[in-house]
């Protein structure tokens, strides 16, 4: 038993040092408080149970990845194009746009490997402005939702209420909302993330989720009146409206600008669809059918996220056009390519490395990004990815069983196409990691599994982002409005709170009072409600 413990500890130390070399951290300094991660790779506590973590990691890595990134290209292990065969013995047509062996040679694909080096990052990452040691949770939140933004909500809400009553009759119970009431309104709805209750009206009930400590700040009747008329943009502009997003687009633009002004991300970033309205515990226990049903929203949201801190640098919201629009979108990589370009429009010329999922990864997009000094590492799927210009023999599986950890690589210029086997074939496209350098995937039962460095980097960074959802979910606002623009608004507020906490942890204020995520959320709610006692629940 002692021998097993020492072996597990040595594997843990090896993995930790490799994660540090890949620039992965946890909210910069690790978590504190009751919501600390159980993952010792991302925790600074000295009592992390390495043996328990490594036992859990094998299962967690497969179960808790986002659905898009979790399956990877394992699906292609069944795609053999007829009789199958890899290498020189591969056969079948392969995915659309793939090149035959002779075509690939003509296009410059070769099995001769050369070293690839990414130039140094041209920026230092971290907060763009210094916050004082006395800064409050509200101060950090208002970096993204300042007073003038709240005042605009007040103005637009009152305008909408006036117009509504002119058309449908007066509402004797209504009076114009004030800025203080609007802050309290935001606080009440935000409290659903702290209390984990789906109905904000539960605050005033006598049930389990009642909260008398904040319910006295505003009557339920008054809250419901503000909720009825709440608006960001009361009327459709005559020009330049973004269809269904016009009611929230000014807020999204303001939020995006504040993200860019307050924080500089690290060199490594991820483009992905974050969890939106589901608890990660539910995600890992529900069936795929249940998950599809729960994901039927009228919009999709993509983010660019810093993998060194978890800060969400940019968001991109897209409305669906019909009942099956999401499925249509996921089958059109060119649309996701446009999303990627939108998310990366502000990082050209900085030597940033981005990690992408199958629906974004493509040779054309990566080549275009490389001309802008944006380097890429993406997972490939013959079903979800645009495989145009890639060698067919690297995209079909061999009829000869591969050994775990075995890999093949072909190059075109600085671009590498990797086929790696680990209980299934996984394929990667990258120009950010040298194909001549080796990495390892550390597992409890298997020990060290060899792989190209790009595979290790991809697994590490995406695993971090997926585990990060455990922490980000602390700020999921559970209030579920029917209107799409309101759903997008409250989701963006959740993201703003997440970013506010990250800036708090990187500030001097964190050294004074080391609040956990839950405590920070509680404090923010009380400050929005302007309650005298703003100390978080201990």
């Amino acid at each position: 038993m002692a021998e097993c413990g020492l072996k597990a500890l040595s594997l843990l130390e090896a993995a930790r040092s490799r994660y540090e070399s890949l620039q992965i951290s946890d909210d910069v300094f690790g978590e504190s408080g009751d919501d600390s991660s159980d993952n010792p790779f991302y925790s600074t506590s000295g009592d992390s149970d390495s043996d328990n973590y490594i036992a859990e990691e094998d299962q967690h890595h497969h179960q808790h990845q986002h659905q898009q990134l979790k399956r990877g290209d394992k699906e292609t292990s069944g795609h053999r194009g007829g009789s199958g065969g890899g290498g020189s013995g591969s056969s079948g047509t392969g995915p659309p746009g793939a090149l035959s062996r002779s075509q690939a040679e003509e296009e410059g694909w070769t099995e001769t490997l050369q070293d690839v080096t990414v130039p140094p990052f041209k920026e230092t990452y971290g907060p763009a402005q210094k916050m004082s040691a006395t800064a409050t949770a509200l101060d950090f939140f208002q970096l993204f939702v300042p007073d003038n933004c709240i005042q605009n909500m007040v103005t637009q809400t009152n305008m909408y209420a006036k117009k509504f009553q002119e058309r449908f009759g007066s509402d004797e119970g209504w009076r114009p909302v004030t800025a203080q009431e609007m802050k309290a309104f935001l606080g009440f709805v935000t409290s659903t993330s702290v209390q984990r209750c789906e109905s904000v009206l539960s605050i005033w009930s006598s049930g389990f989720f009642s909260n008398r400590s904040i319910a006295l700040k505003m009557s339920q009747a008054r809250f419901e009146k503000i909720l009825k008329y709440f608006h960001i943009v009361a009327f459709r502009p005559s020009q330049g409206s973004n269809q269904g997003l016009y009611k929230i687009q000014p807020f999204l633009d303001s939020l995006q600008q504040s993200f860019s002004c307050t924080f500089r991300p690290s060199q490594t970033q991820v483009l992905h669809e974050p969890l939106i309205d589901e608890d990660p515990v539910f995600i890992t226990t529900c069936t795929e059918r249940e998950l599809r049903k729960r994901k039927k929203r009228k919009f999709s949201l993509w983010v660019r996220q810093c993998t060194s801190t978890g800060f969400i640098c940019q968001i991109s919201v897209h409305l669906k056009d019909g009942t099956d629009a999401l499925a249509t979108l996921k089958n059109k990589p060119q649309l996701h390519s446009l999303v990627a370009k939108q998310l990366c429009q502000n990082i050209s010329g900085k030597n940033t490395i981005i990690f992408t999922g199958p629906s974004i990864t493509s040779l054309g997009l990566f080549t275009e990004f490389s001309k802008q000094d944006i380097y890429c590492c993406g997972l490939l799927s013959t079903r979800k990815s645009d495989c145009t210009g890639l060698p067919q023999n690297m995209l079909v599986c061999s009829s000869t069983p591969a050994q775990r950890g075995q890999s093949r690589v072909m190059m075109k210029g600085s671009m590498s196409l990797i086929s790696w086997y680990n209980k299934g074939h996984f394929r990667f496209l990258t120009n950010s990691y040298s194909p001549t350098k080796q990495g390892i995937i550390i597992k409890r039962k298997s020990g060290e599994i060899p792989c190209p460095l790009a595979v290790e980097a991809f697994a590490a960074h995406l695993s971090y982002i997926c585990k990060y959802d455990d922490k980000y979910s602390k700020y999921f606002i559970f209030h579920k409005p029917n209107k799409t623009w309101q759903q997008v608004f409250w989701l963006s507020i959740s993201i703003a709170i997440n970013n506010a906490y990250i800036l708090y942890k990187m500030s001097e204020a964190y050294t004074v009072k080391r609040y956990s995520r839950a405590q920070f959320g509680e404090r923010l709610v009380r400050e929005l409600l302007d309650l005298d006692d703003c100390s978080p629940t201990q």
Side-chain angles (χ1 to χ4, degrees), residues 91-359:
S91 63
T93 58
L99 304 177
S100 66
R101 176 171 290 276
S102 60
Q103 289 173 328
E105 290 176 356
E106 291 175 3
E107 290 292 326
W109 287 98
T110 176
E111 294 182 354
T112 303
L113 307 184
Q114 59 182 7
D115 195 30
V116 172
T117 303
V118 174
F121 191 45
K122 294 183 179 179
E123 286 195 351
T124 56
Y125 80 87
Q129 63 186 84
K130 186 176 181 180
M131 299 291 284
S132 71
T134 58
T136 65
L138 184 58
D139 290 333
F140 287 97
F141 176 70
Q142 293 213 278
L143 290 172
F144 310 115
V145 188
D147 282 332
N148 64 337
C149 184
I150 293 175
Q151 184 58 50
N152 179 69
M153 297 178 196
V154 171
T155 302
Q156 296 295 323
T157 297
N158 288 334
M159 286 174 58
Y160 180 80
K162 181 180 178 182
K163 192 71 174 180
F164 184 93
Q165 292 174 49
E166 287 175 356
R167 182 174 181 181
F168 297 105
S170 63
D171 185 345
E172 295 181 358
W174 170 255
R175 66 178 184 276
V177 66
T178 64
Q180 185 177 5
E181 285 182 312
M182 186 59 70
K183 278 188 179 181
F185 174 77
L186 295 176
F188 281 121
V189 180
T190 300
S191 72
T192 63
S193 66
V194 177
Q195 300 297 325
R196 318 292 283 182
C197 61
E198 291 200 7
S199 173
V200 65
L201 300 182
S202 299
I203 294 170
W204 292 275
S205 71
S206 58
F208 179 78
F209 289 110
S210 64
N211 192 338
R212 301 301 299 173
S213 64
I214 66 175
L216 297 176
K217 191 65 182 180
M218 180 185 291
S219 69
Q220 179 178 344
R222 179 59 176 164
F223 175 85
E224 289 187 48
K225 289 294 183 184
I226 299 175
L227 182 62
K228 176 181 178 180
Y229 297 117
F230 175 67
H231 266 73
I232 307 296
V233 176
F235 310 111
R236 184 188 296 270
S238 57
Q239 293 180 346
S241 63
N242 187 7
Q243 297 181 358
L245 286 177
Y246 79 91
K247 286 195 172 184
I248 193 175
Q249 193 62 53
F251 177 77
L252 294 178
D253 294 341
S254 171
L255 196 65
Q256 186 56 64
Q257 184 178 9
S258 65
F259 287 170
S260 302
C261 293
T262 56
F263 185 81
R264 294 182 293 268
S266 67
Q267 183 177 25
T268 53
Q269 299 166 40
V270 173
L271 307 184
H272 72 113
E273 283 185 287
L275 292 174
I276 290 183
D277 55 1
E278 306 296 359
D279 191 309
V281 173
F282 170 81
I283 291 292
T284 59
T285 57
C286 72
T287 65
E288 190 170 343
R289 182 178 179 182
E290 288 173 331
L291 186 60
R292 285 198 303 268
K293 287 176 65 178
R294 296 285 291 229
K295 278 195 170 183
K296 287 182 179 178
R297 287 170 277 101
K298 293 183 179 179
F299 68 95
S300 60
L301 179 135
W302 290 76
V303 303
R304 175 166 54 85
Q305 188 168 11
C306 171
T307 65
S308 291
T309 60
F311 191 95
I312 294 176
C313 312
Q314 191 164 347
I315 61 177
S316 179
V317 182
H318 295 271
L319 296 179
K320 306 175 190 178
D321 295 325
T323 55
D324 59 346
L326 183 61
T328 303
L329 180 66
K330 287 187 176 296
N331 288 329
K332 292 184 177 179
Q334 67 273 22
L335 295 182
H336 284 183
S337 176
L338 293 176
V339 170
K341 292 175 185 178
Q342 185 182 63
L343 289 172
C344 296
Q345 60 187 348
N346 297 326
I347 61 173
S348 59
K350 299 178 181 179
N351 299 328
T352 302
I353 298 174
I354 62 168
F355 296 88
T356 65
S359 62

